[in-house]
Short mmCIF file of all heavy atoms in Angstrom, two decimals:
data_model
loop_
_atom_site.label_atom_id
_atom_site.label_comp_id
_atom_site.label_asym_id
_atom_site.label_seq_id
_atom_site.Cartn_x
_atom_site.Cartn_y
_atom_site.Cartn_z
N ARG A 857 -7.45 -24.22 2.71
CA ARG A 857 -6.70 -23.95 1.53
C ARG A 857 -6.06 -22.60 1.58
O ARG A 857 -6.69 -21.56 1.91
CB ARG A 857 -7.73 -24.02 0.38
CG ARG A 857 -8.35 -25.42 0.15
CD ARG A 857 -9.14 -25.49 -1.15
NE ARG A 857 -8.39 -24.99 -2.28
CZ ARG A 857 -7.93 -25.59 -3.29
NH1 ARG A 857 -8.14 -26.89 -3.41
NH2 ARG A 857 -7.23 -24.99 -4.29
N PRO A 858 -4.78 -22.59 1.31
CA PRO A 858 -4.06 -21.36 1.32
C PRO A 858 -4.54 -20.25 0.36
O PRO A 858 -4.57 -19.07 0.69
CB PRO A 858 -2.61 -21.68 1.08
CG PRO A 858 -2.64 -23.04 0.33
CD PRO A 858 -3.91 -23.74 0.84
N GLU A 859 -5.09 -20.63 -0.74
CA GLU A 859 -5.67 -19.73 -1.67
C GLU A 859 -6.74 -18.86 -1.15
O GLU A 859 -6.80 -17.62 -1.30
CB GLU A 859 -6.10 -20.33 -2.97
CG GLU A 859 -5.07 -21.06 -3.81
CD GLU A 859 -4.77 -22.51 -3.29
OE1 GLU A 859 -5.45 -23.05 -2.43
OE2 GLU A 859 -3.91 -23.16 -3.90
N ALA A 860 -7.62 -19.47 -0.34
CA ALA A 860 -8.81 -18.71 0.26
C ALA A 860 -8.17 -17.76 1.21
O ALA A 860 -8.71 -16.57 1.28
CB ALA A 860 -9.74 -19.70 0.88
N LEU A 861 -7.21 -18.12 2.06
CA LEU A 861 -6.68 -17.17 3.03
C LEU A 861 -5.93 -16.08 2.40
O LEU A 861 -6.08 -14.97 2.84
CB LEU A 861 -5.69 -18.01 4.00
CG LEU A 861 -6.33 -19.07 4.93
CD1 LEU A 861 -5.22 -19.83 5.53
CD2 LEU A 861 -7.13 -18.40 5.99
N ILE A 862 -5.25 -16.38 1.35
CA ILE A 862 -4.51 -15.32 0.58
C ILE A 862 -5.53 -14.34 -0.05
O ILE A 862 -5.34 -13.13 0.05
CB ILE A 862 -3.61 -15.96 -0.50
CG1 ILE A 862 -2.51 -16.77 0.20
CG2 ILE A 862 -2.92 -14.86 -1.37
CD1 ILE A 862 -1.78 -17.79 -0.71
N ASN A 863 -6.53 -14.87 -0.63
CA ASN A 863 -7.59 -14.01 -1.33
C ASN A 863 -8.14 -13.09 -0.17
O ASN A 863 -8.40 -11.88 -0.48
CB ASN A 863 -8.60 -14.67 -2.05
CG ASN A 863 -7.94 -15.32 -3.30
OD1 ASN A 863 -6.92 -14.87 -3.88
ND2 ASN A 863 -8.61 -16.45 -3.74
N MET A 864 -8.51 -13.62 0.95
CA MET A 864 -9.16 -12.81 2.05
C MET A 864 -8.12 -11.76 2.48
O MET A 864 -8.54 -10.63 2.84
CB MET A 864 -9.63 -13.71 3.11
CG MET A 864 -10.88 -14.45 2.78
SD MET A 864 -11.66 -15.30 4.17
CE MET A 864 -10.45 -16.53 4.55
N ALA A 865 -6.86 -12.18 2.63
CA ALA A 865 -5.93 -11.27 3.17
C ALA A 865 -5.65 -10.11 2.21
O ALA A 865 -5.47 -8.96 2.58
CB ALA A 865 -4.54 -12.00 3.41
N VAL A 866 -5.63 -10.43 0.89
CA VAL A 866 -5.50 -9.36 -0.09
C VAL A 866 -6.70 -8.35 -0.07
O VAL A 866 -6.56 -7.21 -0.02
CB VAL A 866 -5.39 -9.91 -1.55
CG1 VAL A 866 -5.46 -8.81 -2.56
CG2 VAL A 866 -4.05 -10.71 -1.65
N ALA A 867 -7.88 -8.91 0.13
CA ALA A 867 -9.12 -8.10 0.24
C ALA A 867 -9.01 -7.16 1.42
O ALA A 867 -9.27 -5.91 1.33
CB ALA A 867 -10.35 -8.86 0.33
N LEU A 868 -8.54 -7.67 2.57
CA LEU A 868 -8.41 -6.87 3.71
C LEU A 868 -7.39 -5.83 3.58
O LEU A 868 -7.49 -4.66 3.99
CB LEU A 868 -8.13 -7.78 5.02
CG LEU A 868 -9.22 -8.61 5.43
CD1 LEU A 868 -8.72 -9.72 6.46
CD2 LEU A 868 -10.36 -7.90 6.04
N ALA A 869 -6.17 -6.27 2.90
CA ALA A 869 -5.14 -5.30 2.71
C ALA A 869 -5.62 -4.14 1.77
O ALA A 869 -5.33 -2.93 1.98
CB ALA A 869 -4.04 -5.92 1.99
N GLU A 870 -6.47 -4.37 0.82
CA GLU A 870 -6.98 -3.39 -0.08
C GLU A 870 -7.93 -2.42 0.67
O GLU A 870 -8.04 -1.30 0.33
CB GLU A 870 -7.77 -4.08 -1.27
CG GLU A 870 -6.85 -4.68 -2.21
CD GLU A 870 -7.59 -5.41 -3.37
OE1 GLU A 870 -8.81 -5.59 -3.26
OE2 GLU A 870 -6.87 -5.78 -4.30
N LEU A 871 -8.52 -2.92 1.73
CA LEU A 871 -9.38 -2.08 2.58
C LEU A 871 -8.52 -1.29 3.66
O LEU A 871 -9.08 -0.49 4.47
CB LEU A 871 -10.40 -2.93 3.30
CG LEU A 871 -11.47 -3.55 2.43
CD1 LEU A 871 -12.36 -4.51 3.17
CD2 LEU A 871 -12.38 -2.43 1.83
N GLY A 872 -7.28 -1.58 3.61
CA GLY A 872 -6.37 -0.87 4.61
C GLY A 872 -6.33 -1.47 5.95
O GLY A 872 -5.77 -0.94 6.90
N LEU A 873 -6.81 -2.75 6.06
CA LEU A 873 -6.93 -3.38 7.39
C LEU A 873 -5.68 -4.33 7.56
O LEU A 873 -5.70 -5.44 7.26
CB LEU A 873 -8.28 -4.25 7.43
CG LEU A 873 -9.52 -3.44 7.30
CD1 LEU A 873 -10.69 -4.33 7.22
CD2 LEU A 873 -9.63 -2.47 8.54
N ARG A 874 -4.57 -3.66 7.96
CA ARG A 874 -3.32 -4.32 8.09
C ARG A 874 -3.29 -5.52 9.10
O ARG A 874 -2.76 -6.61 8.69
CB ARG A 874 -2.27 -3.35 8.51
CG ARG A 874 -1.79 -2.42 7.34
CD ARG A 874 -0.72 -1.56 7.79
NE ARG A 874 -0.11 -0.83 6.73
CZ ARG A 874 -0.40 0.32 6.23
NH1 ARG A 874 -1.32 1.02 6.92
NH2 ARG A 874 0.17 0.89 5.25
N ALA A 875 -3.80 -5.38 10.28
CA ALA A 875 -3.65 -6.38 11.30
C ALA A 875 -4.42 -7.74 10.85
O ALA A 875 -3.76 -8.78 10.92
CB ALA A 875 -4.10 -5.91 12.62
N PRO A 876 -5.65 -7.61 10.40
CA PRO A 876 -6.31 -8.84 10.00
C PRO A 876 -5.68 -9.46 8.67
O PRO A 876 -5.53 -10.68 8.54
CB PRO A 876 -7.76 -8.46 9.76
CG PRO A 876 -7.89 -7.10 10.10
CD PRO A 876 -6.62 -6.46 10.42
N ALA A 877 -5.17 -8.58 7.87
CA ALA A 877 -4.50 -9.11 6.60
C ALA A 877 -3.23 -9.85 7.05
O ALA A 877 -2.89 -10.93 6.45
CB ALA A 877 -4.27 -7.91 5.66
N LYS A 878 -2.49 -9.21 7.87
CA LYS A 878 -1.25 -9.86 8.38
C LYS A 878 -1.47 -11.22 9.02
O LYS A 878 -0.81 -12.20 8.70
CB LYS A 878 -0.65 -8.93 9.34
CG LYS A 878 0.83 -9.07 9.66
CD LYS A 878 1.16 -7.85 10.57
CE LYS A 878 2.58 -7.97 10.99
NZ LYS A 878 2.93 -6.80 11.83
N ARG A 879 -2.57 -11.35 9.77
CA ARG A 879 -2.86 -12.64 10.44
C ARG A 879 -3.22 -13.66 9.35
O ARG A 879 -2.75 -14.78 9.48
CB ARG A 879 -4.07 -12.35 11.37
CG ARG A 879 -4.46 -13.67 12.15
CD ARG A 879 -5.65 -13.46 13.08
NE ARG A 879 -6.83 -12.93 12.45
CZ ARG A 879 -7.63 -13.65 11.69
NH1 ARG A 879 -7.46 -14.88 11.55
NH2 ARG A 879 -8.76 -13.04 11.16
N LEU A 880 -4.01 -13.29 8.35
CA LEU A 880 -4.33 -14.29 7.36
C LEU A 880 -3.14 -14.66 6.45
O LEU A 880 -2.97 -15.87 6.05
CB LEU A 880 -5.45 -13.75 6.53
CG LEU A 880 -6.84 -13.66 7.24
CD1 LEU A 880 -7.93 -13.09 6.27
CD2 LEU A 880 -7.29 -15.05 7.71
N PHE A 881 -2.30 -13.67 6.14
CA PHE A 881 -1.04 -14.01 5.40
C PHE A 881 -0.18 -15.01 6.23
O PHE A 881 0.38 -15.94 5.70
CB PHE A 881 -0.24 -12.72 5.09
CG PHE A 881 -0.79 -12.07 3.80
CD1 PHE A 881 -1.16 -10.65 3.83
CD2 PHE A 881 -0.85 -12.67 2.56
CE1 PHE A 881 -1.58 -10.11 2.76
CE2 PHE A 881 -1.23 -12.11 1.45
CZ PHE A 881 -1.60 -10.77 1.47
N SER A 882 -0.09 -14.71 7.59
CA SER A 882 0.66 -15.63 8.43
C SER A 882 0.09 -17.07 8.44
O SER A 882 0.86 -18.05 8.40
CB SER A 882 0.71 -15.11 9.86
OG SER A 882 1.52 -13.82 9.92
N GLU A 883 -1.21 -17.13 8.50
CA GLU A 883 -1.93 -18.44 8.47
C GLU A 883 -1.61 -19.15 7.10
O GLU A 883 -1.32 -20.29 7.09
CB GLU A 883 -3.33 -18.28 8.67
CG GLU A 883 -3.77 -17.94 10.10
CD GLU A 883 -5.29 -17.89 10.26
OE1 GLU A 883 -6.06 -18.65 9.62
OE2 GLU A 883 -5.64 -17.11 11.07
N ALA A 884 -1.68 -18.33 6.01
CA ALA A 884 -1.43 -19.01 4.71
C ALA A 884 -0.02 -19.47 4.66
O ALA A 884 0.31 -20.49 4.10
CB ALA A 884 -1.74 -17.95 3.60
N HIS A 885 0.91 -18.64 5.18
CA HIS A 885 2.24 -18.96 5.14
C HIS A 885 2.61 -20.29 6.01
O HIS A 885 3.38 -21.07 5.55
CB HIS A 885 3.10 -17.81 5.76
CG HIS A 885 4.66 -18.12 5.75
ND1 HIS A 885 5.26 -18.58 6.79
CD2 HIS A 885 5.56 -17.84 4.76
CE1 HIS A 885 6.57 -18.69 6.49
NE2 HIS A 885 6.75 -18.33 5.21
N ALA A 886 1.86 -20.38 7.06
CA ALA A 886 2.04 -21.67 7.85
C ALA A 886 1.60 -22.88 7.06
O ALA A 886 2.27 -23.98 7.20
CB ALA A 886 1.27 -21.57 9.17
N LEU A 887 0.58 -22.69 6.21
CA LEU A 887 0.16 -23.82 5.40
C LEU A 887 0.97 -24.16 4.17
O LEU A 887 1.30 -25.33 3.86
CB LEU A 887 -1.32 -23.51 4.88
CG LEU A 887 -2.38 -23.60 5.97
CD1 LEU A 887 -3.70 -23.12 5.35
CD2 LEU A 887 -2.51 -25.01 6.60
N ALA A 888 1.48 -23.04 3.50
CA ALA A 888 2.13 -23.20 2.25
C ALA A 888 3.13 -22.05 2.06
O ALA A 888 2.84 -21.09 1.36
CB ALA A 888 1.18 -23.25 1.10
N PRO A 889 4.29 -22.08 2.77
CA PRO A 889 5.15 -20.92 2.75
C PRO A 889 5.76 -20.56 1.36
O PRO A 889 6.15 -19.47 1.17
CB PRO A 889 6.32 -21.44 3.69
CG PRO A 889 6.20 -22.88 3.78
CD PRO A 889 4.75 -23.19 3.54
N ASN A 890 5.78 -21.57 0.38
CA ASN A 890 6.32 -21.21 -0.85
C ASN A 890 5.26 -21.13 -1.98
O ASN A 890 5.53 -21.11 -3.18
CB ASN A 890 7.37 -22.16 -1.26
CG ASN A 890 8.64 -22.07 -0.48
OD1 ASN A 890 9.11 -20.93 -0.30
ND2 ASN A 890 9.19 -23.13 -0.03
N HIS A 891 4.00 -20.90 -1.57
CA HIS A 891 2.80 -20.79 -2.50
C HIS A 891 3.12 -19.58 -3.38
O HIS A 891 3.39 -18.50 -2.93
CB HIS A 891 1.54 -20.71 -1.70
CG HIS A 891 0.42 -20.84 -2.60
ND1 HIS A 891 -0.01 -20.03 -3.54
CD2 HIS A 891 -0.46 -21.94 -2.71
CE1 HIS A 891 -1.11 -20.42 -4.17
NE2 HIS A 891 -1.38 -21.62 -3.62
N PRO A 892 3.05 -19.77 -4.71
CA PRO A 892 3.36 -18.63 -5.64
C PRO A 892 2.48 -17.44 -5.43
O PRO A 892 2.98 -16.23 -5.46
CB PRO A 892 3.19 -19.22 -6.95
CG PRO A 892 3.12 -20.67 -6.85
CD PRO A 892 2.74 -20.96 -5.44
N LEU A 893 1.23 -17.71 -5.14
CA LEU A 893 0.21 -16.51 -4.92
C LEU A 893 0.57 -15.82 -3.63
O LEU A 893 0.56 -14.61 -3.64
CB LEU A 893 -1.13 -17.05 -4.96
CG LEU A 893 -2.28 -16.01 -4.78
CD1 LEU A 893 -2.31 -15.08 -5.99
CD2 LEU A 893 -3.65 -16.81 -4.78
N LEU A 894 0.92 -16.56 -2.66
CA LEU A 894 1.36 -15.84 -1.38
C LEU A 894 2.65 -14.99 -1.62
O LEU A 894 2.73 -13.85 -1.26
CB LEU A 894 1.63 -16.93 -0.32
CG LEU A 894 2.23 -16.40 0.95
CD1 LEU A 894 1.14 -15.56 1.69
CD2 LEU A 894 2.61 -17.54 1.87
N ARG A 895 3.67 -15.60 -2.20
CA ARG A 895 4.90 -14.88 -2.49
C ARG A 895 4.64 -13.62 -3.33
O ARG A 895 5.23 -12.53 -3.09
CB ARG A 895 5.88 -15.83 -3.15
CG ARG A 895 6.30 -16.98 -2.13
CD ARG A 895 7.19 -17.96 -2.85
NE ARG A 895 8.45 -17.32 -3.24
CZ ARG A 895 9.64 -17.37 -2.61
NH1 ARG A 895 9.60 -18.05 -1.49
NH2 ARG A 895 10.62 -16.73 -3.01
N LYS A 896 3.83 -13.78 -4.38
CA LYS A 896 3.57 -12.62 -5.29
C LYS A 896 2.93 -11.52 -4.52
O LYS A 896 3.36 -10.33 -4.64
CB LYS A 896 2.64 -13.07 -6.35
CG LYS A 896 2.26 -12.01 -7.30
CD LYS A 896 1.26 -12.47 -8.32
CE LYS A 896 0.66 -11.31 -9.13
NZ LYS A 896 -0.37 -11.69 -9.99
N ASN A 897 1.95 -11.78 -3.69
CA ASN A 897 1.20 -10.72 -3.04
C ASN A 897 2.03 -10.12 -1.89
O ASN A 897 2.06 -8.90 -1.71
CB ASN A 897 -0.06 -11.24 -2.52
CG ASN A 897 -1.10 -11.30 -3.52
OD1 ASN A 897 -1.59 -10.33 -4.06
ND2 ASN A 897 -1.49 -12.58 -3.94
N LEU A 898 2.85 -10.91 -1.21
CA LEU A 898 3.68 -10.36 -0.16
C LEU A 898 4.83 -9.49 -0.83
O LEU A 898 5.11 -8.48 -0.30
CB LEU A 898 4.37 -11.52 0.67
CG LEU A 898 3.42 -12.20 1.59
CD1 LEU A 898 4.17 -13.37 2.29
CD2 LEU A 898 2.83 -11.25 2.60
N ASP A 899 5.31 -9.92 -2.03
CA ASP A 899 6.23 -9.07 -2.69
C ASP A 899 5.67 -7.77 -3.06
O ASP A 899 6.28 -6.71 -2.89
CB ASP A 899 6.77 -9.81 -3.98
CG ASP A 899 7.78 -10.89 -3.64
OD1 ASP A 899 8.26 -10.93 -2.51
OD2 ASP A 899 7.98 -11.69 -4.54
N LEU A 900 4.46 -7.78 -3.67
CA LEU A 900 3.74 -6.50 -4.07
C LEU A 900 3.55 -5.62 -2.88
O LEU A 900 3.73 -4.41 -2.94
CB LEU A 900 2.57 -6.80 -4.82
CG LEU A 900 2.61 -7.40 -6.16
CD1 LEU A 900 1.27 -7.87 -6.67
CD2 LEU A 900 3.32 -6.50 -7.15
N LEU A 901 3.06 -6.19 -1.77
CA LEU A 901 2.73 -5.42 -0.57
C LEU A 901 4.01 -4.89 0.00
O LEU A 901 4.06 -3.74 0.60
CB LEU A 901 1.85 -6.13 0.38
CG LEU A 901 0.44 -6.35 -0.12
CD1 LEU A 901 -0.27 -7.45 0.72
CD2 LEU A 901 -0.33 -5.08 -0.14
N GLY A 902 5.04 -5.69 -0.06
CA GLY A 902 6.40 -5.17 0.45
C GLY A 902 6.91 -4.00 -0.34
O GLY A 902 7.41 -3.05 0.23
N GLN A 903 6.75 -4.02 -1.63
CA GLN A 903 7.21 -2.96 -2.53
C GLN A 903 6.39 -1.71 -2.26
O GLN A 903 6.94 -0.60 -2.35
CB GLN A 903 7.12 -3.36 -3.97
CG GLN A 903 8.11 -4.48 -4.41
CD GLN A 903 7.76 -4.94 -5.80
OE1 GLN A 903 7.06 -4.34 -6.55
NE2 GLN A 903 8.34 -6.10 -6.13
N ALA A 904 5.20 -1.83 -1.76
CA ALA A 904 4.25 -0.71 -1.57
C ALA A 904 4.38 -0.25 -0.11
O ALA A 904 3.74 0.69 0.40
CB ALA A 904 2.86 -1.11 -1.79
N ASP A 905 5.43 -1.00 0.69
CA ASP A 905 5.57 -0.55 2.16
C ASP A 905 4.30 -0.62 2.90
O ASP A 905 4.08 0.11 3.84
CB ASP A 905 6.16 0.80 2.22
CG ASP A 905 7.65 0.93 1.70
OD1 ASP A 905 8.36 -0.04 1.85
OD2 ASP A 905 7.99 1.92 1.18
N PHE A 906 3.44 -1.62 2.55
CA PHE A 906 2.20 -1.79 3.32
C PHE A 906 2.45 -2.44 4.63
O PHE A 906 1.85 -2.09 5.61
CB PHE A 906 1.28 -2.69 2.49
CG PHE A 906 -0.10 -2.78 3.07
CD1 PHE A 906 -1.03 -1.77 2.85
CD2 PHE A 906 -0.47 -3.94 3.76
CE1 PHE A 906 -2.19 -1.86 3.44
CE2 PHE A 906 -1.71 -4.00 4.33
CZ PHE A 906 -2.65 -2.94 4.22
N PHE A 907 3.37 -3.38 4.71
CA PHE A 907 3.68 -4.05 5.95
C PHE A 907 5.07 -3.78 6.47
O PHE A 907 5.93 -3.34 5.69
CB PHE A 907 3.65 -5.65 5.77
CG PHE A 907 2.22 -6.18 5.58
CD1 PHE A 907 1.90 -6.98 4.45
CD2 PHE A 907 1.22 -5.99 6.53
CE1 PHE A 907 0.65 -7.47 4.32
CE2 PHE A 907 0.00 -6.50 6.35
CZ PHE A 907 -0.32 -7.28 5.26
N ASP A 908 5.35 -3.97 7.69
CA ASP A 908 6.60 -3.78 8.38
C ASP A 908 7.59 -4.71 7.66
O ASP A 908 7.37 -5.95 7.53
CB ASP A 908 6.47 -4.16 9.82
CG ASP A 908 7.78 -4.13 10.52
OD1 ASP A 908 8.68 -3.37 10.07
OD2 ASP A 908 7.95 -4.91 11.49
N PRO A 909 8.71 -4.11 7.14
CA PRO A 909 9.68 -5.00 6.42
C PRO A 909 10.33 -6.08 7.28
O PRO A 909 10.60 -7.19 6.83
CB PRO A 909 10.73 -4.00 5.97
CG PRO A 909 10.43 -2.62 6.56
CD PRO A 909 9.07 -2.77 7.14
N HIS A 910 10.33 -5.88 8.63
CA HIS A 910 10.92 -6.96 9.53
C HIS A 910 9.93 -8.16 9.58
O HIS A 910 10.43 -9.25 9.54
CB HIS A 910 11.12 -6.44 10.91
CG HIS A 910 12.21 -5.33 10.88
ND1 HIS A 910 13.52 -5.51 10.71
CD2 HIS A 910 11.99 -3.94 11.20
CE1 HIS A 910 14.13 -4.29 10.73
NE2 HIS A 910 13.26 -3.42 11.09
N TRP A 911 8.62 -7.85 9.58
CA TRP A 911 7.65 -9.00 9.51
C TRP A 911 7.79 -9.77 8.25
O TRP A 911 7.78 -10.97 8.23
CB TRP A 911 6.26 -8.43 9.76
CG TRP A 911 5.18 -9.43 9.70
CD1 TRP A 911 4.93 -10.40 10.63
CD2 TRP A 911 4.39 -9.68 8.62
NE1 TRP A 911 3.89 -11.17 10.21
CE2 TRP A 911 3.51 -10.79 8.93
CE3 TRP A 911 4.16 -9.09 7.31
CZ2 TRP A 911 2.59 -11.36 8.10
CZ3 TRP A 911 3.23 -9.69 6.45
CH2 TRP A 911 2.48 -10.77 6.87
N LEU A 912 7.81 -8.97 7.17
CA LEU A 912 7.92 -9.62 5.84
C LEU A 912 9.17 -10.49 5.70
O LEU A 912 9.12 -11.57 5.21
CB LEU A 912 7.89 -8.58 4.66
CG LEU A 912 6.52 -8.04 4.31
CD1 LEU A 912 6.75 -6.88 3.30
CD2 LEU A 912 5.66 -9.00 3.82
N SER A 913 10.30 -9.94 6.18
CA SER A 913 11.45 -10.77 6.03
C SER A 913 11.48 -11.91 6.91
O SER A 913 12.07 -12.94 6.65
CB SER A 913 12.70 -9.83 6.32
OG SER A 913 12.74 -9.42 7.70
N SER A 914 10.75 -11.85 8.10
CA SER A 914 10.68 -13.05 8.92
C SER A 914 9.89 -14.17 8.20
O SER A 914 10.14 -15.45 8.47
CB SER A 914 9.97 -12.68 10.27
OG SER A 914 8.61 -12.51 10.08
N LEU A 915 8.90 -13.81 7.37
CA LEU A 915 8.20 -14.83 6.59
C LEU A 915 9.08 -15.43 5.51
O LEU A 915 8.85 -16.62 5.12
CB LEU A 915 6.90 -14.25 6.06
CG LEU A 915 5.75 -13.98 6.96
CD1 LEU A 915 4.57 -13.46 6.13
CD2 LEU A 915 5.41 -15.11 7.84
N THR A 916 9.90 -14.56 4.82
CA THR A 916 10.57 -15.14 3.69
C THR A 916 11.97 -15.54 4.04
O THR A 916 12.71 -16.00 3.14
CB THR A 916 10.64 -13.96 2.64
OG1 THR A 916 11.23 -12.84 3.18
CG2 THR A 916 9.26 -13.64 2.12
N ALA A 917 12.44 -15.37 5.25
CA ALA A 917 13.79 -15.75 5.67
C ALA A 917 14.04 -17.28 5.41
O ALA A 917 13.22 -18.10 5.87
CB ALA A 917 14.08 -15.46 7.11
N GLY A 918 15.04 -17.54 4.80
CA GLY A 918 15.47 -19.04 4.52
C GLY A 918 14.72 -19.69 3.47
O GLY A 918 14.86 -20.84 3.24
N GLN A 919 13.81 -18.99 2.73
CA GLN A 919 13.01 -19.60 1.68
C GLN A 919 13.78 -19.36 0.34
O GLN A 919 14.33 -18.35 0.15
CB GLN A 919 11.64 -18.98 1.54
CG GLN A 919 10.79 -19.37 2.79
CD GLN A 919 9.48 -18.68 2.67
OE1 GLN A 919 9.03 -18.30 1.60
NE2 GLN A 919 8.76 -18.67 3.73
N ALA A 920 13.71 -20.37 -0.49
CA ALA A 920 14.38 -20.20 -1.79
C ALA A 920 13.48 -19.26 -2.65
O ALA A 920 12.26 -19.26 -2.62
CB ALA A 920 14.39 -21.64 -2.52
N GLN A 921 14.14 -18.35 -3.33
CA GLN A 921 13.54 -17.51 -4.30
C GLN A 921 13.29 -18.26 -5.60
O GLN A 921 13.92 -19.28 -5.87
CB GLN A 921 14.40 -16.36 -4.56
CG GLN A 921 14.67 -15.48 -3.34
CD GLN A 921 13.39 -14.87 -2.77
OE1 GLN A 921 12.55 -14.35 -3.50
NE2 GLN A 921 13.21 -14.92 -1.49
N PRO A 922 12.31 -17.79 -6.41
CA PRO A 922 12.11 -18.55 -7.70
C PRO A 922 13.36 -18.63 -8.47
O PRO A 922 14.13 -17.66 -8.59
CB PRO A 922 11.05 -17.64 -8.33
CG PRO A 922 10.40 -16.91 -7.23
CD PRO A 922 11.43 -16.67 -6.22
N GLY A 923 13.62 -19.85 -8.97
CA GLY A 923 14.85 -20.08 -9.79
C GLY A 923 16.12 -20.47 -8.97
O GLY A 923 17.19 -20.76 -9.50
N GLN A 924 15.95 -20.42 -7.64
CA GLN A 924 17.06 -20.82 -6.75
C GLN A 924 16.95 -22.24 -6.33
O GLN A 924 15.81 -22.67 -6.14
CB GLN A 924 17.20 -19.87 -5.59
CG GLN A 924 17.63 -18.43 -5.88
CD GLN A 924 17.83 -17.64 -4.61
OE1 GLN A 924 17.10 -17.87 -3.65
NE2 GLN A 924 18.66 -16.67 -4.66
N THR A 925 18.00 -22.80 -6.03
CA THR A 925 17.96 -24.13 -5.41
C THR A 925 18.27 -24.04 -3.88
O THR A 925 18.99 -23.10 -3.52
CB THR A 925 18.94 -25.13 -6.03
OG1 THR A 925 20.28 -24.69 -5.88
CG2 THR A 925 18.69 -25.29 -7.51
N THR A 926 17.76 -24.92 -3.10
CA THR A 926 18.09 -24.88 -1.61
C THR A 926 19.14 -25.91 -1.28
O THR A 926 19.56 -26.03 -0.18
CB THR A 926 16.82 -25.22 -0.86
OG1 THR A 926 16.22 -26.45 -1.23
CG2 THR A 926 15.75 -24.10 -1.00
N GLN A 927 19.57 -26.73 -2.33
CA GLN A 927 20.58 -27.76 -2.05
C GLN A 927 21.98 -27.21 -2.53
O GLN A 927 21.97 -26.44 -3.53
CB GLN A 927 20.26 -29.05 -2.69
CG GLN A 927 18.94 -29.60 -2.24
CD GLN A 927 18.62 -30.85 -2.91
OE1 GLN A 927 19.20 -31.21 -3.90
NE2 GLN A 927 17.55 -31.54 -2.44
N PRO A 928 22.97 -27.60 -1.85
CA PRO A 928 24.36 -27.18 -2.29
C PRO A 928 24.65 -27.75 -3.65
O PRO A 928 24.22 -28.79 -4.00
CB PRO A 928 25.34 -27.78 -1.24
CG PRO A 928 24.47 -28.43 -0.24
CD PRO A 928 23.08 -28.39 -0.62
N GLN A 929 25.46 -27.00 -4.41
CA GLN A 929 25.86 -27.40 -5.82
C GLN A 929 26.87 -28.38 -5.73
O GLN A 929 27.73 -28.37 -5.00
CB GLN A 929 26.24 -26.16 -6.57
CG GLN A 929 25.19 -25.11 -6.69
CD GLN A 929 24.13 -25.42 -7.74
OE1 GLN A 929 24.41 -26.13 -8.71
NE2 GLN A 929 22.98 -25.05 -7.55
#
């Protein structure tokens, strides 16, 4: 379940353990790339400059943002 991975990743991030948090966020992303909880936490950690912005953008590249459509109009 992606929620369990996300919750564990957040706990590790709060402890300052970037590498294990990053691994769990990546696993959660592989399971559910558009999961709202995943997106919310990655956005928050990105705003706090917790993770490398290149890594964050690699996870979110090509994904629709909330309120956007992925199909041509």
